Amino acid sequence: MGFPVLPYYPDVSEIGPLNVVGSALISYDSSKVDSLAAFSKTSGLSVYVDLNIESESADENLITSLLSLFNNGVLYVVVTNVALGTDILAKIPNARLAYKVASLASIPAEIPESVPIFAKDVSAASSSRTVFALSPASEDLSALIKKNITPVVIASDLSTEYAETLPAGKVALADLLSYAITTDRNDGLYTTLVTGTDNQSLGLVYSSYKSLAEAIKTGTGVYQSRKHGLWYKGATSGSTQTLQRIDLDCDGDCIRFVVIQAGTGFCHLGTASCFGKDSGLSALESVLNERLQNAPAGSYTKRLFDDEALLNAKIKEEAEELTEATDKDEVAWEAADLFYFALARCAKYGVSISDIERNLDMKSLKVTRRKGDAKPKFIEAAKAQTAKPEVVKTEVAPVAESDGRIVMTRVIAASAPSADLEKALKRPNQKTSDIMKLVNPIIDAVKAKGDAALLELTAKFDKVQLASPVLEAPFPPELMNLTEDVKRAIDISVENVRVFHTAQLTSKMEVETCAGVRCSRFARPVEKVGLYIPGGTAVLPSTALMLGVPANVAGCEEIIFASPPGPDGKLTPEVVYVAHKVGAKKIVLAGGAQAIAAMAYGTESVPKVDKIMGPGNQFVTAAKMYVSNDTTALCGIDMPAGPSEVLVVADAFADPDFVASDLLSQAEHGVDSQVILVAVGMTSEQIDKIDEAVHRQALELPRVDIVRKCIAHSYTIVVDTYADALAMSNRYAPEHLILQIEDAESYVDSVTNAGSVFVGAYSPESCGDYSSGTNHTLPTYGYARMYSGVNTSTFQKFITSQVVTPKGLQSIGKAVMDLAAVEGLDAHRNAVKIRMEKLGYL
């Protein structure tokens, strides 16, 4: 139904705040066709053009002008007589014409019911025809609108202001809207649907005459709260709305507000709409726009935005792959890839989906049809492609087969070129210098501004406004609202991790190195520790217990958690519960490099810690490395860490379903995770069964999109012997090593580089992640060659002591003096010489 008025503009330059109406009638001017066409193309309004020509035929100049108008989105051209309209239709097929008549009673029979009519006398209105009333008296507006007739009113007589403030002759848009609305609610409020410019529903609210008038006047989202009066959307949260258009549905009992939504979204829960998160193209658009601003230097997305040639090449590549797709699933998959890269280019140039849809609407309104061919170079390429002989696939599986299966690339170690083997074992490149360019300003901001910077960065990266950057113990019970099953699972896991890590506590070690010289070493806890618990694509309360329990066992005096908050400003209750169980003093509500900086240097609310532990993305890792090398921070770290990874060694005795499940348990962590299968002496058919299990199980996972991208750059390496398999594993130095081979325990002694080993068919990596007792915070990216995973000693430092008796000084004194003399350190030599002289040893 739209807005119940059609504004008439003698000149398009007059259009301003009346855009909310969504339509316009403009007088044709042959000297201004180009400006009329440009206005129609860019305004976003439904444009009618009043031809105002009484001639009986349309000449070529007029036809050319009308073609330009229709092709640029003019919805209807209003003609003054049937003969002129017939002439236009003969020369412009599919022309959209409306007719102007003296009265509805004199409509020519040849004009179909579907054609809009403009008339001065509308007394014989038909309910089935779209009718516009020309030059109505202001006192007739209410009656006309209630009869479903749209009055045409000179734009200068319409106003967005309140009716009571207007001079005589002016009409308030809110009044016109109120004439058309109906409601059956006892409180008299109008049901109102709010959508974005992409027609995605944001939420259901209510309006009153007063809220409608205020929304029209201010050009913003203003609604009627059933409890609190006028509701100015975003006045307190910052999630404001710019009003674009107001429509009515066909029955006039539902209003639609079309808005541009700012901030975190429409819903108070921080989602784009009250119906949950965006999906499809809208979700992709949001992700790409966010990545355009924040993609890390060196990442693939950043390269796409910065490297025009790469982005263009990917678009052409995906378009070609779409043309080669032959079944429904594959066509859908390749089309999605093309949309992704096409929208990446759109995001780069500030083009929104709304802009694209407006152009699609424009194309649907064109009356000039394309010739229907393609450029010669593409015609020739297509002919060549269809003429190609069928390619027979080899045993080596491609990253993605033509049926869209989720399958790992297979490499035969004995015959593959060394470069292929290197590629299979290679981690994704991380250019530290590029990452540090982004991390350094974050660290500097936290050092300089403390809490203020932490709050600003949390608002920027986590999209949530916080009053305080920390949560103080004791933590409110309502933040730990868990089911009994989850509570029991955490309690069991905490106890098993406590038992294993308590067994690691080192007692004092003492030894007599020679007569009279006793040396000892004893452990003391690191007093203040900061434990980083990642958020992002998955919430990881298990990391909280893997870090918190050993810290508690070691006796750390002050335990501080840090974890990014959700859109509602709160943490997952499991993390808060673990923090409570291990005696954490505070939780820093922040993630990324800013959380690391806050704990390393301290802020007004965040205490400075002595050592930081925990995994994270490349920014967290870079920040940890930075503070550990900054003497002003005086802060240690556990280890460098990167994307999660697993290497599974399997043989013909392994269950394909078990192997597949272990591979997928790591693949779901993220698209940059590493998944490698080393198949020992297995046939192609046996490996095919694992591939089939991977594909089947992956399709049942909610994170299948992440899994698909991870598996696309994962490898199966086929080797001949168990010795070859263990050598391959030690060369790779995986975070997680799983041995699904016959007599698996006998091979553990051959493992020299790994974060943690899972031995046998019934030892899935998941057990170590949660409840077996070992720690899941492990070295990645090959650091297992020189680092251990987190353990009790990670939270301790070791102090040595020595007791030297007179006899002991007699045993080693001369050696000390001789070495001090060699180094030219006479004071060192003298400290021993004085004692030995008094003892009579010299």
Side-chain angles (χ1 to χ4, degrees):
M1 179 175 177
F3 205 100
V5 68
L6 179 61
Y8 170 68
Y9 298 89
D11 192 311
V12 295
S13 63
E14 298 178 8
I15 294 184
L18 298 184
N19 268 352
V20 68
V21 171
S23 60
L25 175 64
I26 301 169
S27 183
Y28 175 78
D29 184 335
S30 60
S31 67
K32 296 183 178 180
V33 170
D34 289 344
S35 61
L36 288 176
F39 170 78
S40 176
K41 186 175 182 178
T42 59
S43 68
L45 301 177
S46 297
V47 176
Y48 297 76
V49 171
D50 187 356
L51 199 54
N52 281 322
I53 294 176
E54 298 289 344
S55 62
E56 295 295 320
S57 63
D59 61 25
E60 291 304 316
N61 289 334
L62 177 60
I63 293 301
T64 300
S65 297
L66 294 183
L67 279 171
S68 175
L69 294 178
F70 283 127
N71 287 338
N72 282 282
V74 165
L75 188 60
Y76 282 99
V77 168
V78 184
V79 297
T80 54
N81 60 61
V82 176
L84 178 60
T86 302
D87 199 36
I88 291 172
L89 288 171
K91 296 180 179 181
I92 307 179
N94 304 308
R96 296 176 297 278
L97 301 180
Y99 288 88
K100 187 189 297 184
V101 298
S103 70
L104 296 182
S106 61
I107 299 175
E110 57 265 42
I111 298 180
E113 280 279 318
S114 59
V115 174
I117 294 295
F118 288 74
K120 288 189 176 180
D121 180 0
V122 293
S123 56
S126 167
S127 60
S128 62
R129 188 185 287 279
T130 300
V131 176
F132 295 91
L134 295 168
S135 306
S138 58
E139 59 270 17
D140 295 335
L141 297 180
S142 173
L144 288 171
I145 291 171
K146 288 177 180 177
K147 288 198 297 182
N148 225 16
I149 297 173
T150 302
V152 177
V153 180
I154 296 174
S156 57
D157 291 340
L158 296 171
S159 176
T160 59
E161 296 293 325
Y162 292 115
E164 54 267 26
T165 66
L166 295 177
K170 288 276 190 178
V171 181
L173 289 180
D175 279 0
L176 298 177
L177 194 57
S178 71
Y179 301 153
I181 311 172
T182 61
T183 181
D184 57 3
R185 291 179 56 87
N186 293 331
D187 56 12
L189 298 181
Y190 310 118
T191 302
T192 304
L193 176 67
V194 185
T195 74
T197 54
D198 56 1
N199 288 322
Q200 296 289 318
S201 298
L202 302 180
L204 186 70
V205 294
Y206 296 94
S207 298
S208 63
Y209 172 82
K210 187 174 181 182
S211 71
L212 289 171
E214 185 69 4
I216 292 170
K217 178 181 178 181
T218 61
T220 63
V222 183
Y223 309 106
Q224 187 72 39
S225 168
R226 287 166 291 175
K227 295 181 179 180
H228 306 296
L230 285 186
W231 169 28
Y232 292 81
K233 174 59 182 163
T236 55
S237 68
S239 297
T240 56
Q241 294 176 343
T242 302
L243 179 60
Q244 298 296 104
R245 192 173 73 251
I246 297 179
D247 297 326
L248 294 177
D249 73 347
C250 59
D251 297 322
D253 59 1
C254 182
I255 303 169
R256 179 174 69 164
F257 270 49
V258 180
V259 302
I260 297 175
Q261 178 69 58
T264 57
F266 179 83
C267 185
H268 69 287
L269 297 178
T271 54
S273 81
C274 288
F275 304 104
K277 295 181 179 180
D278 277 347
S279 61
L281 293 178
S282 294
L284 177 59
E285 179 181 43
S286 298
V287 168
L288 288 171
N289 284 330
E290 191 276 332
R291 289 180 180 173
L292 179 63
Q293 302 299 321
N294 301 313
S299 68
Y300 184 46
T301 309
K302 181 68 172 172
R303 287 172 55 213
L304 284 175
F305 288 134
D306 291 347
D307 189 340
E308 184 84 358
L310 174 62
L311 180 54
N312 291 344
K314 287 302 298 181
I315 292 172
K316 292 176 182 178
E317 174 189 321
E318 299 302 340
E320 180 178 272
E321 290 180 358
L322 178 58
T323 66
E324 295 172 350
T326 55
D327 63 45
K328 180 179 177 181
D329 288 344
E330 188 184 8
V331 169
W333 175 258
E334 299 300 346
D337 276 350
L338 181 58
F339 287 169
Y340 179 91
F341 291 106
L343 283 181
R345 184 173 175 84
C346 290
K348 177 177 178 177
Y349 287 96
V351 176
S352 68
I353 290 178
S354 296
D355 296 327
I356 297 170
E357 290 179 338
R358 185 159 58 248
N359 277 274
L360 288 173
D361 290 340
M362 292 285 297
K363 293 179 190 299
S364 71
L365 292 173
K366 282 180 178 289
V367 293
T368 301
R369 299 304 181 214
R370 294 181 177 181
K371 185 178 178 181
D373 58 6
K375 292 179 180 179
K377 66 176 182 178
F378 295 113
I379 291 289
E380 294 305 317
K383 288 179 179 177
Q385 176 182 319
T386 56
K388 288 179 182 177
E390 183 180 354
V391 178
V392 179
K393 292 184 179 179
T394 65
E395 182 186 5
V396 179
V399 171
E401 294 180 345
S402 61
D403 60 358
R405 291 176 62 78
I406 301 172
V407 62
M408 297 162 66
T409 300
R410 198 176 303 176
V411 177
I412 312 299
S415 59
S418 58
D420 288 355
L421 205 53
E422 287 294 330
K423 182 179 179 182
L425 296 174
K426 185 178 180 181
R427 269 95 171 178
N429 290 326
Q430 293 185 0
K431 198 169 181 181
T432 305
S433 59
D434 289 341
I435 297 171
M436 292 310 301
K437 289 177 184 175
L438 300 175
V439 169
N440 286 348
I442 294 173
I443 293 175
D444 291 342
V446 174
K447 287 169 67 176
K449 297 168 59 180
D451 281 359
L454 208 52
L455 292 172
E456 290 170 9
L457 292 164
T458 301
K460 177 180 178 180
F461 295 121
D462 299 308
K463 312 300 182 188
V464 60
Q465 297 282 350
L466 298 175
S468 170
V470 298
L471 188 63
E472 302 269 3
F475 308 116
E478 61 268 20
L479 297 184
M480 297 180 276
N481 188 17
L482 302 172
T483 66
E484 287 304 314
D485 284 346
V486 172
K487 219 177 250 189
R488 189 181 306 109
I490 292 176
D491 291 345
I492 290 172
S493 302
V494 165
E495 179 58 18
N496 287 349
V497 173
R498 185 195 65 77
V499 168
F500 184 72
H501 287 74
T502 299
Q504 300 170 31
L505 284 170
T506 306
S507 59
K508 182 177 179 179
M509 177 273 290
E510 186 172 285
V511 62
E512 188 172 60
T513 57
C514 64
V517 179
R518 297 195 314 276
C519 295
S520 65
R521 189 186 83 150
F522 53 91
R524 293 291 183 268
V526 177
E527 292 179 15
K528 299 178 180 180
V529 294
L531 312 183
Y532 184 82
I533 295 91
T537 61
V539 178
L540 302 175
S542 56
T543 299
L545 69 91
M546 290 293 175
L547 297 172
V549 173
N552 180 272
V553 167
C556 298
E557 181 181 305
E558 190 166 13
I559 301 173
I560 306 297
F561 276 26
S563 191
D568 58 355
K570 297 178 181 178
L571 293 175
T572 176
E574 292 86 354
V575 170
V576 182
Y577 180 65
V578 173
H580 164 71
K581 289 211 57 139
V582 302
K585 297 290 181 66
K586 291 188 181 185
I587 304 177
V588 182
L589 301 173
Q594 60 270 27
I596 302 300
M599 294 190 289
Y601 298 99
T603 72
E604 300 92 326
S605 301
V606 181
K608 181 197 172 338
V609 301
D610 301 314
K611 191 173 184 179
I612 296 174
M613 294 80 162
N617 61 21
Q618 54 190 339
F619 298 101
V620 171
T621 300
K624 286 171 65 179
M625 297 292 283
Y626 179 98
V627 301
S628 69
N629 288 308
D630 182 3
T631 55
T632 66
L634 284 178
C635 184
I637 62 171
D638 49 359
M639 73 189 96
S644 189
E645 58 194 33
V646 68
L647 187 146
V648 179
V649 179
D651 60 12
F653 297 94
D655 186 316
D657 286 329
F658 290 2
V659 175
S661 67
D662 286 339
L663 294 167
L664 294 172
S665 71
Q666 292 307 295
E668 73 173 351
H669 268 295
V671 297
D672 55 355
S673 294
Q674 294 273 300
V675 176
I676 292 177
L677 168 63
V678 178
V680 185
M682 296 177 69
T683 66
S684 178
E685 290 74 17
Q686 289 169 332
I687 301 173
D688 286 343
K689 290 181 180 179
I690 295 176
D691 285 344
E692 188 280 329
V694 167
H695 176 71
R696 172 170 38 81
Q697 292 180 29
L699 293 180
E700 298 174 357
L701 298 172
R703 295 165 71 86
V704 63
D705 290 340
I706 290 175
V707 168
R708 187 184 289 276
K709 292 175 182 177
C710 174
I711 295 296
H713 58 72
S714 299
Y715 289 85
T716 296
I717 302 173
V718 184
V719 299
D720 295 328
T721 67
Y722 295 106
D724 291 339
L726 270 297
M728 192 76 65
S729 174
N730 289 329
R731 174 180 171 185
Y732 182 72
E735 177 190 18
H736 305 101
L737 170 60
I738 300 178
L739 301 178
Q740 287 210 41
I741 53 181
E742 188 179 28
D743 195 18
E745 288 190 59
S746 68
Y747 291 94
V748 175
D749 288 344
S750 299
V751 177
T752 56
N753 297 323
S756 190
V757 187
F758 300 83
V759 185
Y762 297 98
S763 304
E765 184 274 332
S766 313
C767 290
D769 266 357
Y770 298 106
S771 306
S772 65
T774 62
N775 207 288
H776 83 195
T777 306
L778 303 167
T780 66
Y781 215 77
Y783 283 110
R785 293 183 183 90
M786 70 288 292
Y787 282 94
S788 307
V790 164
N791 53 75
T792 304
S793 64
T794 306
F795 297 87
Q796 296 174 308
K797 72 258 189 183
F798 293 87
I799 304 170
T800 60
S801 68
Q802 53 269 300
V803 177
V804 182
T805 65
K807 186 175 181 180
L809 198 60
Q810 185 178 24
S811 299
I812 65 172
K814 186 174 184 308
V816 174
M817 291 170 62
D818 289 344
L819 288 172
V822 168
E823 294 187 353
L825 299 176
D826 288 346
H828 280 67
R829 182 177 181 277
N830 194 50
V832 175
K833 178 174 177 283
I834 288 175
R835 288 173 169 80
M836 293 188 72
E837 284 178 340
K838 289 194 175 185
L839 288 170
Y841 294 153
L842 294 180

